[in-house]
């Protein structure tokens, strides 16, 4: 889903009570998948290390709760 230059991907788990360690494993798997895909982005035939090219990866959530990641361009 795109809005104002923001690409958003969302996973919601509703009605299933999962232990914290399972939520952490899911969060880690989503993070790994997203960063792995970003590492393979090809910009018109030139490879770019997006993390070295000025992107920051932050955890979304309060108090360290696994709630996803935010990838943003550092200005």
């Amino acid at each position: 889903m795109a809005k104002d230059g923001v690409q958003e991907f969302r996973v919601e788990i509703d009605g299933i009570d999962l232990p914290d360690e399972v939520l952490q494993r899911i969060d880690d798997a989503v993070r790994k998948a997203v960063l792995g895909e970003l590492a393979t982005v090809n910009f018109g035939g030139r490879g770019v290390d997006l993390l070295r090219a000025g992107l920051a990866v932050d955890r979304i959530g309060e108090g360290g709760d696994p709630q996803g990641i935010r990838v943003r361009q550092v200005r």
Side-chain angles (χ1 to χ4, degrees):
M1 172 171 28
K3 59 180 180 182
D4 299 326
V6 173
Q7 301 294 319
E8 183 177 284
F9 300 90
R10 195 172 205 149
V11 176
E12 292 185 21
I13 299 173
D14 188 11
I16 304 171
D17 190 21
L18 298 171
D20 287 344
E21 60 271 8
V22 172
L23 291 174
Q24 187 62 57
R25 284 198 328 257
I26 292 169
D27 182 68
D28 291 344
V30 169
R31 177 187 303 264
K32 183 178 179 181
V34 170
L35 294 178
E37 287 302 315
L38 284 174
T40 65
V41 172
N42 182 331
F43 291 99
R46 64 182 170 88
V48 176
D49 182 344
L50 288 172
L51 296 180
R52 285 188 165 182
L55 290 186
V57 180
D58 305 309
R59 180 175 296 280
I60 298 171
E62 299 285 330
D65 291 337
Q67 305 228 356
I69 61 172
R70 177 180 299 114
V71 180
R72 61 184 170 78
Q73 185 175 19
V74 177
R75 301 194 189 272

